[in-house]
Amino acid sequence: MNYEREQRRLEALLQEELLGEDDGSPSSSDSEAGNDDASEYSAPDQIQNSESEEDLSDRESSSNDNSYYLGKDKSTRWNKEPYRQSVRTRKYNIISQLPEPKRVIAGEKESLSIWRHFFDDTIIDIIVKYTNQYIDTIRHKYTRETYARQTNLNEIQCLMGLILLAGVQKSNHLNVEELFRTDGGSVEIFRLSMSAQRFQFLLRVLRFDDGSLRQQRKAIDKICHIREIFEKFVQNCKNNYTLSAFVTVEEKMESFRGKCSFRQYIPNKPNPYGIKIQALCDSKMFYTFNMEIYPGKQPNEGPYNFDNSGLAVVQRLCEPIFNTGRNVTTDNWYTSVPLAEMLLQRGLTTVGTIRKNKKEIPPDFNVLRGRSVKSNMFGFRDNIVLVSHIPKQGKNVLLISTMHNNAKIDVETGKPDIILSYNDTKGGVDVVDRLCANYDCARATRQNLAMKLIEPHIRERQTQLNLPRSLRQRLSEILKIDEVTEMAGRSRNGRCYKKTYVIRKKQKNQVHLS
């Protein structure tokens, strides 16, 4: 009896729920269930099935009165009117995190300490190890052993600091002779840190992988030269920061005009020639969170022969932020209806421009005749909104969004909210690209970081007795070291400086007397 009574009560609640949805008003059972355990009375499977049947019937009825657009594939339908909306905020529009450094780096204040969280000793040790390995193979070509001596962690950090300083000082395109001039026309710290010959030598021999095994790895991976340290650096980027609610996925270019089988040309980038990197960046804070190098078609089937389609690239880049409720902004190379559906299933929304030739786009959305400037056409399908906007005569742009669910238009600009959101978040990667290319921000901090990287090596160099005295004295001034104190108790083979000075002074006086 209890079982039959419970079944009748559940059927009554279900009927009330359906009636409440039909007239658009909340049912009385909602308020009653709010006071009790919702799982005891809701019968979720039955309600969800009834809702899907109701939506299906709505769409079937709409096809009879021509209230939808049909895509080029003859199967994708876009309703002309938005679906009935719930007052409750959708779960994938709820963000519970703020953009900030993660706990491991949040307390750091010094630029060098922060830098070490990204370029840690593990990465520098890899560079030192493989650089020394290559130096050993070419040492026999040099007549003097000092020209091809092995390097160490401090010297590699110093080299990176000098390269960074050259970028800060807008000297990165000068040749080495200009950087190491002795007539006061260059940045003094270059020749104080190392000789021009050593600087050129280190740049020539710098290596990031095991050269003896490269050919084996190159057979399955075009970027085997830097794969190891690149992945370690990207992992450090992901470990040290929490993103905001909006992220951007786009390609960026690292300038390079040398010989490379996968070098790209993208004319609208600050550096049109170079290595293309697919990147996920914070749209508000412009932090680079995840990256992958585009190698083109990998030579053979193997662990690095990835799918390079837009959907696959976005899926790989967004994997660390799945089910976080963030929004992903993409351009028309990446954006597609399957991508929007895939991200939505993984707890992310998307906003992006979409190409006009996609099979899901209705032909009506590309018809410009009879449409005025700033006019809009909307289509609604499940949780996706499609909009066609006329920004100027004879041109239209198409966007899709799963973050929006209505046809709201800004009164001042005449643009839909979808376009305003896209314009506000599309520039994440482009801004990062410009900052990297121009060094417009944080010059003082970067210069300070460069000096911090250089300092350990020049402290070692200051102790070398074979350096010219003028260099050693200048290094002592920069490092704030009392050279007399440092030289006390230190043995030195060769002439006494004081005795040499007295002899030269006497010789000079004799010349004047004669």
Side-chain angles (χ1 to χ4, degrees):
M1 294 296 294
N2 292 335
Y3 174 79
E4 294 176 354
R5 186 166 55 252
E6 184 68 12
Q7 286 294 319
R8 288 196 298 272
R9 190 175 64 83
L10 287 176
E11 291 176 1
L13 288 174
L14 178 60
Q15 188 65 25
E16 291 176 0
E17 180 70 19
L18 295 177
L19 290 174
E21 289 181 355
D22 290 338
D23 61 12
S25 60
S27 63
S28 59
S29 62
D30 291 338
S31 59
E32 294 174 359
N35 298 326
D36 300 316
D37 185 4
S39 62
E40 184 179 354
Y41 303 106
S42 60
D45 293 337
Q46 297 171 337
I47 294 176
Q48 289 178 2
N49 290 336
S50 63
E51 288 177 349
S52 61
E53 292 171 0
E54 182 185 9
D55 292 340
L56 182 60
S57 63
D58 287 345
R59 296 171 194 173
E60 290 176 349
S61 62
S62 66
S63 64
N64 296 330
D65 58 7
N66 198 26
S67 61
Y68 63 85
Y69 302 104
L70 195 62
K72 296 177 184 177
D73 57 3
K74 305 300 182 181
S75 61
T76 306
R77 294 183 177 184
W78 301 86
N79 284 357
K80 295 182 179 181
E81 298 295 331
Y83 296 120
R84 181 172 57 251
Q85 303 300 325
S86 171
V87 296
R88 184 176 299 176
T89 304
R90 299 183 298 178
K91 63 180 181 180
Y92 38 76
N93 287 140
I94 300 175
I95 304 296
S96 59
Q97 296 174 315
L98 295 175
E100 60 182 355
K102 291 187 178 178
R103 184 174 300 177
V104 66
I105 196 176
E108 300 288 0
K109 302 298 181 183
E110 293 292 330
S111 57
L112 182 60
S113 299
I114 296 173
W115 185 83
R116 288 187 184 279
H117 282 279
F118 297 92
F119 289 91
D120 53 31
D121 287 349
T122 303
I123 293 178
I124 305 299
D125 287 340
I126 291 173
I127 299 175
V128 172
K129 174 184 175 181
Y130 294 132
T131 300
N132 284 335
Q133 184 186 77
Y134 181 68
I135 290 175
D136 288 339
T137 64
I138 63 170
R139 182 175 295 170
H140 65 279
K141 298 180 181 180
Y142 293 83
T143 56
R144 294 182 60 181
E145 185 178 350
T146 55
Y147 286 165
R149 68 181 184 275
Q150 289 198 335
T151 186
N152 56 39
L153 185 143
N154 283 342
E155 189 175 41
I156 292 299
Q157 284 191 167
C158 178
L159 178 68
M160 297 173 73
L162 291 176
I163 295 172
L164 180 60
L165 188 59
V168 171
Q169 299 291 340
K170 299 296 183 182
S171 303
N172 50 326
H173 293 297
L174 295 179
N175 57 41
V176 175
E177 288 74 13
E178 292 291 327
L179 292 175
F180 287 84
R181 290 171 59 180
T182 58
D183 59 358
S186 65
V187 181
E188 187 181 27
I189 194 63
F190 280 89
R191 69 186 187 90
L192 294 176
S193 302
M194 63 179 65
S195 65
Q197 293 79 8
R198 183 63 174 174
F199 183 79
Q200 288 179 309
F201 175 79
L202 289 176
L203 289 180
R204 285 197 300 268
V205 302
L206 205 62
R207 293 295 183 274
F208 309 100
D209 72 318
D210 188 350
S212 62
L213 302 175
R214 180 179 299 169
Q215 292 304 319
Q216 301 175 17
R217 292 180 287 109
K218 197 173 180 180
I220 60 172
D221 186 13
K222 287 184 179 180
I223 61 171
C224 63
H225 313 70
I226 59 170
R227 170 76 67 179
E228 184 177 3
I229 66 168
F230 181 79
E231 290 185 348
K232 288 181 181 295
F233 172 74
V234 171
Q235 188 60 47
N236 289 341
C237 290
K238 291 187 283 190
N239 291 342
N240 290 318
Y241 198 79
T242 300
L243 295 169
S244 70
F246 300 93
V247 298
T248 307
V249 173
E250 196 178 354
E251 71 270 1
K252 65 190 299 290
M253 293 290 287
E254 295 301 326
S255 179
F256 181 72
R257 287 180 174 266
K259 184 179 179 181
C260 179
S261 62
F262 50 90
R263 190 185 66 176
Q264 299 287 309
Y265 172 70
I266 303 179
N268 62 341
K269 293 295 182 181
N271 300 311
Y273 289 96
I275 308 299
K276 184 168 80 170
I277 297 179
Q278 317 274 12
L280 183 148
C281 298
D282 193 309
S283 304
K284 303 297 182 180
M285 308 304 295
F286 311 120
Y287 177 89
T288 303
F289 183 79
N290 198 4
M291 295 180 288
E292 65 174 44
I293 298 174
Y294 174 73
K297 178 66 176 176
Q298 292 282 20
N300 293 308
E301 292 294 333
Y304 303 109
N305 193 6
F306 301 134
D307 181 2
N308 289 320
S309 66
L311 188 148
V313 170
V314 175
Q315 182 173 359
R316 290 195 299 269
L317 291 176
C318 293
E319 186 175 356
I321 61 170
F322 281 165
N323 300 311
T324 61
R326 291 181 171 88
N327 182 76
V328 183
T329 301
T330 56
D331 65 13
N332 60 19
W333 189 85
Y334 301 95
T335 309
S336 65
V337 172
L339 172 67
E341 294 172 343
M342 181 274 294
L343 290 178
L344 203 59
Q345 291 172 2
R346 288 161 173 80
L348 299 174
T349 59
T350 184
V351 174
T353 55
I354 187 169
R355 292 183 177 178
K356 301 173 184 178
N357 60 356
K358 296 294 184 182
K359 64 180 182 179
E360 298 87 359
I361 304 299
D364 294 344
F365 277 60
N366 291 319
V367 175
L368 305 182
R369 181 176 299 177
R371 294 183 61 185
S372 60
V373 176
K374 294 187 177 181
S375 64
N376 302 286
M377 182 181 293
F378 288 91
F380 303 90
R381 178 176 181 267
D382 297 331
N383 291 309
I384 305 176
V385 181
L386 170 67
V387 61
S388 173
H389 176 73
I390 305 292
K392 60 182 181 181
Q393 194 66 37
K395 181 180 179 180
N396 73 316
V397 292
L398 300 177
L399 295 93
I400 63 172
S401 172
T402 57
M403 186 177 72
H404 303 80
N405 52 18
N406 54 47
K408 187 176 179 181
I409 298 175
D410 182 69
V411 178
E412 296 182 1
T413 62
K415 297 179 180 178
D417 278 1
I418 297 175
I419 293 182
L420 297 180
S421 297
Y422 175 78
N423 290 340
D424 191 39
T425 57
K426 68 178 181 179
V429 177
D430 285 338
V431 172
V432 170
D433 228 358
R434 289 196 296 271
L435 293 178
C436 292
N438 298 326
Y439 289 100
D440 283 339
C441 297
R443 287 178 182 264
T445 301
R446 291 173 184 235
Q447 187 168 353
N448 182 50
L449 172 59
M451 294 302 298
K452 291 289 187 181
L453 292 171
I454 293 168
E455 183 177 334
H457 179 67
I458 63 176
R459 283 188 178 275
E460 291 181 0
R461 194 167 192 244
Q462 192 270 341
T463 62
Q464 297 176 9
L465 300 179
N466 59 346
L467 276 186
R469 190 181 186 193
S470 59
L471 276 181
R472 195 170 59 254
Q473 287 177 336
R474 185 70 185 108
L475 286 171
S476 299
E477 293 174 5
I478 292 175
L479 298 172
K480 298 179 181 179
I481 296 174
D482 185 354
E483 189 181 12
V484 176
T485 304
E486 288 289 312
M487 294 295 295
R490 186 186 300 171
S491 63
R492 178 184 177 94
N493 295 327
R495 270 190 244 175
C496 172
Y497 281 108
K498 186 173 182 181
K499 184 177 181 180
T500 303
Y501 172 76
V502 172
I503 293 173
R504 288 180 178 174
K505 188 173 183 181
K506 287 182 178 180
Q507 292 174 347
K508 186 177 181 181
N509 291 337
Q510 289 175 0
V511 172
H512 283 296
L513 290 175
S514 62

